[in-house]
Amino acid sequence: MLTQDDALRIVGTVPDPEVPVISVVELGIVRDVTVAPDGGVAVTITPTYSGCPAMREIERDITAALTAAGAPRVELRTVLAPAWTTDWIGPEAREKLRRYGIAPPGKAEPAGLITLMRARTPVPCPWCGSRDTELRSEFGSTACKAIHVCRSCRQPFDEFKAF
Amino acid sequence: MSAAHGDEELGIAAGEASAGTRPVAGARGPDLGDPLVECLLRLGDDRLILGHRLSEWCGHGPILEEDIALSNLALDLIGQAASLLRLAGEVEGRGRDEDALAYFRDGVQFRNCLLVEQPNGDFGVTMVRQFLFDAHSVLVWEALAAGGHPGLAAVAGKALKEDKYHLRHSSEWVVRLGDGTAESHARVQRALDDLWRFTGELFRRDAVDEAVAAHGIALDAAAIRPRWDAIVDDVLARATLVRPADAGMRHGGRTGRHTEHLGHLLATMQIVARSHPGAAW
């Protein structure tokens, strides 16, 4: 039978399908893993964005990994509060993102409303480190990314946007 | 402006509106149910319909980045709608899930405001519509996130973060286009003039709003209005656009009386689910 630690470790091997360089645990969306007396595992996850199309796949991947490890029963629960924030992504995972070519997220905005037309601090290029970069769009190839381009090395890059 | 040009209920001739001798809940009459369900349907339908409208841009955006951005906005809104409609179905307790509510209701059963069902027009029309909606949406979410209904507060806390990004995007485009070329300025001013008459509905209160206060849901239109005005006035000033007069405001969406555009949208949105009930893919 899986122990609590086993279950957590196995869930930690499931990569984010869209950013496979980090796991769903490193992404911060796994909020709780509990093993029942009969060995069944309940995993509580929270979505990154309301419309993230990867959530279903993540649920399937977690279920498959735990089932392969011998869990007789896997139950996935979804919670919305507290809302996911990129502040839950730790330093190691941020470094993995950067090495993968995705600029890691800055500090998430505090609650409360926004300042419109704000000047943005340029995001350092994950390839060459230059700060001479330009935001192309706050909406990128997935809900969680923005598109930038580096004026120094001329490379486009994704930013995992602060959220 | 004379009273005749004040608030007008869509689709109802002057004499028909007060037809007290006939059953009001006829085939096309408003069929307002549990106020909490109604409230959740209004919030959910706004986002479902606007999300669907934005999805119509997929593959047609003026530039690749905007094509992607509009699809991202659509995904967020449809995701929010799924959460809200799921909640509405649970509260209703008749076994309808979010898919049943999205795909198997007819136009008169939809509770979205008229603004969100208006056609995309050109990119400027889409961005003005989005801006007017986003500026309202962030204020609604902020109020609901602090409200006393835990399920709704959880959806609101999440959606608020998303809609802040939407508002930043749409407001920047309104400024860019308004303060752009003579052509772009003229187009977005026209879009603003055309869409303004659908903004009054965002701030109307009715018995549903009063009744849901018992569930800890306090959407105080009077408190939201000045803040919406401040956001809109600030952005329009930067965009060198003229705020239209509050005249000829249209409403009716909250009780199922829609413009002709909703039916066409629903036909497209619902046809696959209705042609192949229970299909999964």
Side-chain angles (χ1 to χ4, degrees):
Chain A
M1 193 179 109
L2 295 176
T3 65
Q4 192 82 15
D5 286 349
D6 292 337
L8 190 57
R9 184 177 47 76
I10 289 155
V11 176
T13 63
V14 175
D16 177 323
E18 285 173 340
V19 190
V21 71
I22 60 172
S23 77
V24 291
V25 172
E26 289 176 306
L27 184 62
I29 62 171
V30 177
R31 307 308 300 153
D32 187 53
V33 178
T34 308
V35 180
D38 71 345
V41 184
V43 181
T44 305
I45 56 175
T46 192
T48 52
Y49 286 75
S50 297
C52 179
M55 291 311 292
R56 292 272 169 82
E57 196 172 333
I58 288 171
E59 290 178 10
R60 276 200 302 269
D61 291 350
I62 290 175
T63 304
L66 287 167
T67 305
R73 183 169 56 76
V74 180
E75 187 195 341
L76 265 296
R77 297 177 190 149
T78 302
V79 292
L80 295 179
W84 177 77
T85 165
T86 46
D87 289 351
W88 293 344
I89 301 175
E92 272 178 43
R94 285 167 191 262
E95 181 54 23
K96 287 183 192 173
L97 287 172
R98 196 192 56 73
R99 283 204 305 270
Y100 190 64
I102 299 175
K107 186 95 188 78
E109 258 186 3
L113 292 183
I114 53 168
T115 315
L116 296 177
M117 316 295 159
R118 64 164 188 184
R120 294 183 186 80
T121 314
V123 174
C125 172
W127 303 113
C128 74
S130 169
R131 287 181 177 273
D132 188 15
T133 65
E134 183 189 349
L135 175 70
R136 273 294 162 80
S137 174
E138 292 214 82
F139 299 91
S141 55
T142 66
C144 54
K145 287 182 247 155
I147 307 170
H148 297 254
V149 69
C150 176
R151 293 199 195 93
S152 297
C153 70
R154 304 275 175 196
Q155 287 295 313
F157 65 91
D158 279 338
E159 175 207 11
F160 208 107
K161 56 191 184 198
F163 189 71
Chain B
M1 198 47 77
S2 72
H5 291 90
D7 281 5
E8 291 175 28
E9 184 96 17
L10 260 161
I12 305 181
E16 202 184 332
S18 56
T21 54
R22 281 182 289 153
V24 178
R28 294 187 56 80
D31 177 23
L32 296 182
D34 179 300
L36 181 54
V37 175
E38 287 293 327
C39 173
L40 292 167
L41 290 177
R42 289 174 181 188
L43 290 164
D45 287 347
D46 278 355
R47 281 137 195 104
L48 176 64
I49 300 303
L50 185 57
H52 185 84
R53 274 286 181 241
L54 291 174
S55 78
E56 293 171 1
W57 275 105
C58 188
H60 301 274
I63 51 172
L64 182 59
E65 285 85 348
E66 274 317 301
D67 202 292
I68 293 169
L70 291 165
S71 298
N72 265 280
L73 264 57
L75 267 178
D76 283 344
L77 290 170
I78 292 168
Q80 294 168 10
S83 296
L84 291 160
L85 295 181
R86 191 177 311 130
L87 203 51
E90 286 167 12
V91 174
E92 183 190 52
R94 284 167 47 194
R96 295 201 284 183
D97 64 6
E98 64 270 30
D99 286 334
L101 287 168
Y103 296 124
F104 295 94
R105 278 182 300 153
D106 292 332
V108 292
Q109 294 160 324
F110 272 77
R111 298 291 182 252
N112 58 279
C113 61
L114 303 176
L115 175 67
V116 297
E117 70 198 35
Q118 298 311 305
N120 285 338
D122 61 21
F123 181 69
V125 172
T126 293
M127 277 300 141
V128 169
R129 184 186 64 199
Q130 193 65 33
F131 167 64
L132 296 172
F133 179 82
D134 290 341
H136 183 253
S137 190
V138 293
L139 299 172
V140 167
W141 289 138
E142 192 191 41
L144 293 175
H149 189 280
L152 187 52
V155 176
K158 180 138 206 73
L160 173 59
K161 287 158 66 106
E162 292 161 355
D163 285 12
K164 283 191 207 174
Y165 267 98
H166 300 187
L167 174 59
R168 193 145 62 210
H169 192 70
S170 58
S171 62
E172 287 177 5
W173 268 111
V174 168
V175 171
R176 204 173 284 131
L177 294 169
D179 191 21
T181 65
E183 172 77 13
S184 71
H185 175 87
R187 285 204 196 193
V188 290
Q189 181 67 58
R190 196 159 57 234
L192 188 63
D193 294 344
D194 286 347
L195 291 171
W196 193 257
R197 65 189 187 275
F198 301 112
T199 57
E201 188 175 34
L202 299 172
F203 303 98
R204 284 177 64 87
R205 274 181 76 85
D206 65 9
V208 168
D209 300 290
E210 308 291 343
V212 292
H215 297 280
I217 298 168
L219 273 178
D220 185 356
I224 288 176
R225 182 77 207 226
R227 298 178 65 199
W228 183 84
D229 282 339
I231 296 171
V232 168
D233 289 344
D234 176 41
V235 170
L236 294 188
R238 291 168 198 261
T240 72
L241 294 167
V242 179
R243 179 179 167 130
D246 287 340
M249 288 294 177
R250 297 299 198 274
H251 60 91
R254 299 301 188 209
T255 53
R257 296 180 187 277
H258 293 277
T259 59
E260 67 273 28
H261 306 295
L262 181 67
H264 296 277
L265 181 152
L266 293 180
T268 306
M269 188 180 86
Q270 297 177 330
I271 188 164
V272 174
R274 290 189 178 209
S275 303
H276 306 278
W281 61 89

